[in-house]
Amino acid sequence: VQLVESGGGEVQAGGSLKLPCAVSGYTRFWCMGWFRQASGEEREGVATVDSDGMARYEDSVKDRFTISLDRAENPLYLQMNSLKPEDGGIYYCAHRPWRGYCSPDQDQEFSYWGQGIQVTVSS
């Protein structure tokens, strides 16, 4: 499985950004997610979705971020609205080839990671 993020950049607070993650090598069952790491901070989970379509979100992004998968074109997307400066950091997409309980607080269980993309939110 190979993952490549794109779509990062700088946006003003209150703005929106959509991050695609190109995925090659899908497995039958899977859990995929978006994670982020701010400078000097630990990596944290943002959102996950599994092969049944169940999506889960970290509390601070609920109602602002949406994780989705374009099954025809394959990218995993993260739509981010009402962005805040604290949403900034390096965003990573990740994959594991089994479903289980798919949640943003399980980053240690993901097998494959993208290289990351920078998102900066200016106030």
Side-chain angles (χ1 to χ4, degrees), residues 29-121:
F29 300 103
W30 47 265
C31 168
M32 293 191 65
W34 285 95
F35 298 80
R36 66 187 180 193
Q37 186 169 21
S39 179
E41 302 289 333
E42 291 188 356
R43 186 173 62 199
E44 65 173 351
V46 176
T48 54
V49 63
D50 67 23
S51 45
D52 277 352
M54 174 63 74
R56 292 185 173 91
Y57 298 88
E58 191 268 330
D59 286 347
S60 71
V61 307
K62 282 179 181 176
D63 301 324
R64 298 190 298 121
F65 289 13
T66 303
I67 188 170
S68 64
L69 178 69
D70 183 328
R71 293 186 182 271
E73 299 294 331
N74 96 30
L76 177 74
Y77 292 105
L78 183 68
Q79 175 68 49
M80 304 184 291
N81 299 327
S82 302
L83 282 161
K84 305 174 182 180
E86 54 264 38
D87 292 320
I90 299 176
Y91 279 70
Y92 300 89
C93 66
H95 174 285
R96 73 181 192 215
W98 52 281
R99 190 174 64 238
Y101 182 76
C102 181
S103 170
D105 61 358
Q106 298 179 334
D107 65 332
Q108 71 279 3
E109 297 186 0
F110 285 76
S111 309
Y112 303 96
W113 292 83
Q115 80 287 352
I117 194 84
Q118 179 71 46
V119 172
T120 302
V121 184

